[in-house]
Amino acid sequence: MAALVKCRALFQPLRSQMNVISGVCRSDGVLHSFRLHSSDVKSADDLIVRYLDGDDSGIVVLGINRPQSKNAISKNLVTMMSEALESLKKDNEVRTVVLCSMVPGIFCAGADLKERAKMQQSEVGPFVTKARTLITELGTLPMPTIAAIDGAALGGGLEMALACDIRVAASSAKMGLVETKLAIIPGAGGTQRLPRTVGVSVAKELIFAARVLSGDEAKSLGLVNHAVEQNKTGDAAYLRALDLAREFIPQGPIAIRMAKLAINQGIEVRLHVTYLAKNKELFSCVIPTKDRLEGLQAFKEKRPPRYKGE
């Protein structure tokens, strides 16, 4: 039985039902082990990184954990996420990354304006640059990324979700690029990623009006891939995101990474230019790698393939 997933317990470490000690999660009398990004989980950690195991090996969960600030993006969170992403980029065993919240009812409220107000003017520029770079790095991770939006995702929080390949939201979630209410504009890629997701005209309307959408409304516009009814534990979007991640695991890992690269780069230029520029990479997809040979053999033998990322 896979760690954490089968017991629907990812969000519980910060709640009274569970205790987390030295990398071991105990829930309902069942012991579940998991790998941690750091040696221990502390309630003060702004980011909790978990490598799921068992049937879900290859799925990594990034849990934002700033309950006192509604998961607002702080200097420490930016640093921790940047370090985690740098580690993930180099790990060929990671198949899918799920970005979620450890705080019930909130995904991310955007920039930490209280912390920003305490910064020296000379600190603001470098911090904003680092935050933008972080979201760019999230968008360029080589493996699929899924944002599980179980609560409010506003401003920079939605920009972070937009940087992910796929978004799943609870119907009750709220999301929007609301920066114009503060007489500023989305500053971490939202003006570019939102139009690419919902279309230019719709994106303009949403940004001009600083409109906040429900999960269902976001689904109708194509802002999220799936909208699900929230459950009693407040993790419905996370559970749906895990189901999606499980669909990716059996597929050829190199093929998935190459498909993501081709889609991401190809969407930025015209089709015929893409084909000419990427001609070599397109044909490299038929090179007889070990995974491709295994896939063909598995198909012939009518059995599930056993990919190793080679």
Side-chain angles (χ1 to χ4, degrees), residues 3 7 26 88 105 206 239 275 282 299 305:
C7 64
R26 185 182 298 273
L88 291 172
L206 295 177
L239 294 176
Y275 180 80
L282 288 170
F299 179 79

Side-chain angles (χ1 to χ4, degrees), residues 21-306:
I21 303 174
S22 300
V24 174
C25 167
R26 185 182 298 273
S27 175
D28 299 326
V30 181
L31 192 64
H32 301 278
S33 63
F34 51 86
R35 288 174 56 195
L36 298 175
H37 180 62
S38 57
S39 58
D40 298 295
V41 173
K42 303 180 181 66
S43 60
D45 287 343
D46 286 353
L47 182 73
I48 296 175
V49 181
R50 293 205 175 101
Y51 291 71
L52 304 189
D53 60 15
D55 293 339
D56 292 335
S57 180
I59 301 175
V60 177
V61 181
L62 304 181
I64 306 175
N65 177 38
R66 302 194 71 229
Q68 73 285 1
S69 302
K70 297 183 179 180
N71 283 350
I73 302 170
S74 65
K75 290 191 291 185
N76 187 54
L77 179 60
V78 168
T79 298
M80 294 187 74
M81 286 194 69
S82 296
E83 292 174 353
L85 296 184
E86 186 63 29
S87 177
L88 291 172
K89 282 193 296 186
K90 302 173 183 177
D91 193 340
N92 290 329
E93 295 183 4
V94 178
R95 301 292 186 88
T96 304
V97 175
V98 177
L99 177 64
C100 66
S101 168
M102 303 295 291
V103 182
I106 189 76
F107 177 77
C108 176
D112 190 333
L113 299 181
K114 291 183 179 179
E115 181 185 71
R116 180 84 63 87
K118 297 177 182 178
M119 290 183 188
Q120 297 294 327
Q121 191 60 38
S122 59
E123 297 179 281
V124 175
F127 168 72
V128 171
T129 298
K130 288 181 180 178
R132 288 172 177 166
T133 300
L134 166 66
I135 293 177
T136 299
E137 289 174 347
L138 177 61
T140 56
L141 279 178
M143 70 288 294
T145 53
I146 307 173
I149 307 171
D150 273 302
L154 303 172
L158 181 55
E159 288 183 300
M160 195 179 296
L162 281 167
C164 293
D165 300 310
I166 297 168
R167 285 159 296 284
V168 181
S171 299
S172 58
K174 301 296 181 183
M175 62 200 80
L177 297 180
V178 296
E179 286 85 349
T180 53
K181 285 186 177 182
L182 302 175
I184 58 176
I185 67 171
T191 54
Q192 308 306 309
R193 293 190 178 94
L194 187 62
R196 285 167 168 79
T197 304
V198 301
V200 174
S201 183
V202 173
K204 287 178 178 178
E205 179 180 337
L206 295 177
I207 292 174
F208 295 168
R211 187 170 300 155
V212 176
L213 305 173
S214 69
D216 288 331
E217 290 171 329
K219 172 65 170 63
S220 70
L221 294 177
L223 178 54
V224 302
N225 298 62
H226 303 275
V228 294
E229 288 296 323
Q230 189 56 279
N231 57 28
K232 293 181 180 179
T233 52
D235 59 354
Y238 166 71
L239 294 176
R240 183 68 181 94
L242 281 181
D243 286 340
L244 285 174
R246 292 181 186 122
E247 291 187 54
F248 303 159
I249 289 178
Q251 318 313 326
I254 294 178
I256 288 180
R257 291 184 178 219
M258 288 300 296
K260 175 173 177 173
L261 179 65
I263 293 169
N264 284 355
Q265 293 189 359
I267 202 170
E268 300 299 329
V269 293
R270 289 173 296 177
L271 181 60
H272 74 278
V273 175
T274 302
Y275 180 80
L276 292 174
K278 306 297 289 184
N279 188 56
K280 182 177 180 181
E281 289 186 26
L282 288 170
F283 281 105
S284 73
C285 292
V286 300
I287 294 174
T289 62
K290 291 182 180 180
D291 272 359
R292 182 169 183 271
L293 294 175
E294 164 61 18
L296 293 172
Q297 187 64 28
F299 179 79
K300 182 179 179 181
E301 297 175 2
K302 298 181 179 179
R303 61 171 175 79
R306 296 183 287 271

